[in-house]
Amino acid sequence: MHKQPLLILCICFILGILLQDFVSLKLRYIYMLLGFSFVMLGFYVIKNFYLHRFRHISLFILFFSLGIIAHFLNSKKPPLPDLKSKENIVFKITKKLNSNEKNRRYEIVAWKEKQPFLSVLSVPKSEADLNFLHYYKAEAYINPLQKSYSDFQFDYAKYLSRKDIYFQAYLPNSFRSGLRNDLSFSEKIRQKRLESLAKIDRANFSKRAREFTKGIILADRTEMDAETVQDFTKSGLMHVLAISGSHMAIIFWLILLILKSLFPPGYRNHKIIISLILIWAFAVFIDYGSSVVRSCIMISAYYISVVLQRKPDLLHAMAVAAFSILILDTNQFFDVGFQLSFVAVFGIFWLNQPILKYLPKPKNNFQNFMVNVVSISFAAQIATLPLVIYYFHQYSGISIIANLIVIPFSEIMIVFSLLMTVLIEFSLHLEWLDQIYDAAVTGTLKTIHFFADIDVAFFKMIPMTLPEVFVSFLVVWFLRFAINNFTLKNVLRISYFLLIFIVLRFLINYKALHTNEVLEHSYYKEKIISVKKRDKVQFVMKINANYPKIEKFVIEPYLTSRRAQNFEIIIISDEVEKIVINGENFDFK
């Protein structure tokens, strides 16, 4: 408690969030728990020796209770209008989302008879882009988001409900627009970002280079082609495109380096403060995504300690960032990016120095940079591996090598892309520089594609449950002690938890093997029947079914959750309206 009080209290706050999300305590019980915690807090002021020993427990209970009540307040469902399937609505956009093959997608605020509601909106690509400068009026098809029909599917409705979005809408026809005169400051910034993205779209280099630039600097991957995204995913380099801690740290150090030449040596604190102001300005400009805000808070907390002449503490900075985000919105904890970024930072803190002991001693700054790239990559990947497999059920065995080769070059590309973005923003076009940049991006993408093409190192449909994740993190925890001090005792600790993991996995696999079931699945209007008998699954679908999409969104998730690999597809004619399986009728109309 004395070494990391804020981190421990933050963990208690998070445990309260998790309990409330799982149990949904009613308000009267929350008040009772909060009252009890304040009574317990009295141990801090009571001088009785026996009661004073429990003062830390009282703080733990208080922050645990605050986590519960904060999540209760953040999870309240807003009042929603009664909407028909087809409505005339007025709306404005709040965020641009990733496009699909046919539509551009946005998050919007819409009104029906002056009652607001949030929705995801799809607009055909044949229509003009929407922006923040206009209100729009149109007749839209609106549907409430439906809860996932099965436990193995991603619950998109729950994911959006954490952002108070309960509807999805589609505009089949054209719409009317009117200029707004009530743009907020944040909306003006977002519109300016859209204009900057449009300028990059008109830049004199290839489409893939333009999309790469928008992704790596302005955090916009909405129009990036599926093949490029798949290459980054399969190579384990998706974090290169995500504006995260490494990007913000590089930009911060670059600003600091520029300011170093402008300020005399005695103005160190001024340079740090100006650099912090500028990275926050950059964060606001790129729409202050959650990963960007997390990075800025951690960098700010770390360097404010430097300015105040206190010893910088990475865990303290991490706790400050987590508290700052969760107090405003407890639902951020359930964001995958939130979890991965904090686990990665903790992994770097926990494993980086032990790993460095086994690497060659650097003799100059370049060698020191390369050695730290290796150790940080290893530390972050080891720590995040359980979560990556749990959420995405896939892992690239080539990712460690790919990271070691691509990350040093990607840091140069971040600086280069930032320079090109600034030049484009001020309409400064140097043809020779455009060509060099285009070639550099093309080379980077080809290198990533090379790693992604090594299919033998890419594993997908890897099942992982929360108990397995928990035991995996215990292995990561004790790994530090074994690396630091390779003794029999420390090796046995890791071996013990590895054995628990193997036994746990065996039991879960055994249960899945002996589960026999017949389920009805749906993908839009298409129906699919799965018949599972021990380790074999049969999928029944019509001949004109959209197999690639069904495979991605139904078959693979089901097989992963049921830990089955052996399956076959049974095709039936379009004329078949009913089939009988195990005495149960299934309608295919």
Side-chain angles (χ1 to χ4, degrees), residues 114-139:
K114 298 184 179 181
Q115 187 172 3
F117 64 94
L118 303 182
S119 176
V120 171
L121 175 71
S122 296
V123 181
K125 287 186 174 180
S126 57
E127 299 291 340
D129 285 354
L130 306 186
N131 58 50
F132 294 92
L133 295 175
H134 295 85
Y135 281 113
Y136 299 93
K137 186 174 183 179
E139 187 176 53

Side-chain angles (χ1 to χ4, degrees), residues 168-405:
Q168 55 185 354
Y170 176 69
L171 294 186
N173 304 311
S174 58
F175 46 81
R176 290 183 289 166
S177 63
L179 276 173
R180 295 178 56 189
N181 58 7
D182 59 347
L183 280 174
S184 66
F185 175 75
S186 64
E187 287 173 326
K188 290 177 181 178
I189 296 295
R190 289 173 182 173
Q191 178 60 30
K192 182 62 180 174
R193 176 172 173 266
L194 283 183
E195 293 168 5
S196 297
L197 292 170
K199 287 183 179 179
I200 293 175
D201 282 330
R202 296 191 294 270
N204 190 28
F205 32 80
S206 66
K207 183 180 186 302
R208 296 187 80 189
R210 294 196 298 268
E211 296 303 328
F212 177 86
T213 307
K214 292 193 292 184
I216 202 169
I217 293 299
L218 296 180
D220 181 272
R221 302 199 302 270
T222 56
E223 303 296 334
M224 186 170 285
D225 63 280
E227 183 183 351
T228 302
V229 174
Q230 186 180 38
D231 284 347
F232 276 93
T233 301
K234 291 183 68 175
S235 60
L237 291 165
M238 198 64 195
H239 60 90
V240 172
L241 277 181
I243 302 290
S244 57
S246 58
H247 292 68
M248 300 308 295
I250 290 167
I251 294 170
F252 177 81
W253 291 332
L254 179 64
I255 296 170
L256 209 54
L257 183 65
I258 295 170
L259 292 178
K260 188 177 287 186
S261 61
L262 300 177
F263 282 80
Y267 287 79
R268 185 190 67 163
N269 290 350
H270 295 76
K271 290 180 281 189
I272 291 175
I273 291 170
I274 293 172
S275 299
L276 290 175
I277 292 171
L278 289 176
I279 64 162
W280 274 104
F282 179 72
V284 171
F285 181 72
I286 63 175
D287 202 18
Y288 44 86
S290 53
S291 61
V292 176
V293 172
R294 290 192 293 270
S295 306
C296 287
I297 294 173
M298 278 194 263
I299 292 171
S300 301
Y302 187 87
Y303 278 95
I304 286 172
S305 299
V306 174
V307 171
L308 297 176
Q309 297 184 341
R310 295 182 178 179
K311 184 180 178 181
D313 190 322
L314 186 60
L315 290 183
H316 182 77
M318 188 172 72
V320 169
F323 255 132
S324 303
I325 294 167
L326 294 177
I327 286 172
L328 293 175
D329 183 9
T330 55
N331 283 308
Q332 282 291 322
F333 178 78
F334 302 96
D335 181 76
V336 178
F338 179 97
Q339 296 176 24
L340 286 174
S341 61
F342 280 99
V343 170
V345 171
F346 182 80
I348 293 168
F349 166 82
W350 193 245
L351 296 175
N352 185 45
Q353 289 303 320
I355 291 173
L356 277 173
K357 292 181 180 180
Y358 290 85
L359 297 177
K361 298 295 181 184
K363 297 179 180 178
N364 52 52
N365 288 336
F366 177 75
Q367 289 182 3
N368 183 62
F369 168 76
M370 292 303 298
V371 166
N372 274 279
V373 166
V374 173
S375 62
I376 288 173
S377 295
F378 268 110
Q381 288 196 61
I382 290 170
T384 56
L385 181 59
L387 277 184
V388 168
I389 295 177
Y390 174 72
Y391 283 114
F392 305 110
H393 302 292
Q394 61 187 29
Y395 178 70
S396 174
I398 203 71
S399 64
I400 292 178
I401 297 173
N403 274 276
L404 297 181
I405 294 174

Side-chain angles (χ1 to χ4, degrees), residues 1-172:
M1 181 68 180
H2 294 292
K3 291 184 178 179
Q4 293 293 340
L6 193 61
L7 179 63
I8 296 172
L9 295 178
C10 183
I11 292 171
C12 293
F13 189 80
I14 290 171
L15 290 174
I17 294 172
L18 289 171
L19 178 71
Q20 178 60 23
D21 194 74
F22 183 73
V23 178
S24 296
L25 291 174
K26 293 184 178 179
L27 189 59
R28 62 177 180 272
Y29 297 118
I30 295 174
Y31 283 148
M32 290 170 60
L33 184 59
L34 198 60
F36 174 73
S37 64
F38 277 109
V39 171
M40 290 287 291
L41 197 62
F43 292 165
Y44 251 110
V45 295
I46 296 175
K47 300 300 181 182
N48 184 285
F49 173 76
Y50 295 103
L51 293 179
H52 196 61
R53 288 185 301 176
F54 298 102
R55 64 192 186 280
H56 295 325
I57 296 175
S58 65
L59 272 179
F60 298 159
I61 296 174
L62 174 63
F63 277 81
F64 177 75
S65 305
L66 291 174
I68 292 173
I69 195 166
H71 193 55
F72 172 82
L73 295 174
N74 275 289
S75 301
K76 292 179 70 175
K77 190 172 181 177
L80 299 173
D82 183 21
L83 298 173
K84 299 175 183 176
S85 60
K86 199 173 184 180
E87 290 279 3
N88 285 304
I89 58 171
V90 175
F91 66 91
K92 65 177 181 178
I93 70 168
T94 57
K95 186 177 181 179
K96 188 179 180 184
L97 302 175
N98 290 344
S99 302
N100 55 32
E101 296 92 337
K102 297 180 180 179
N103 303 308
R104 295 188 186 92
R105 299 170 65 248
Y106 304 87
E107 288 180 7
I108 64 168
V109 178
W111 289 266
K112 181 197 173 183
E113 299 175 355
K114 298 184 179 181
Q115 187 172 3
F117 64 94
L118 303 182
S119 176
V120 171
L121 175 71
S122 296
V123 181
K125 287 186 174 180
S126 57
E127 299 291 340
D129 285 354
L130 306 186
N131 58 50
F132 294 92
L133 295 175
H134 295 85
Y135 281 113
Y136 299 93
K137 186 174 183 179
E139 187 176 53
Y141 291 103
I142 302 176
N143 295 303
L145 289 159
Q146 300 296 324
K147 182 177 174 60
S148 175
Y149 71 88
S150 184
D151 61 330
F152 66 85
Q153 284 200 318
F154 173 66
D155 197 339
Y156 188 57
K158 187 171 184 179
Y159 166 76
L160 288 178
S161 71
R162 295 191 186 280
K163 299 194 286 185
D164 288 337
I165 298 174
Y166 295 91
F167 298 97
Q168 55 185 354
Y170 176 69
L171 294 186

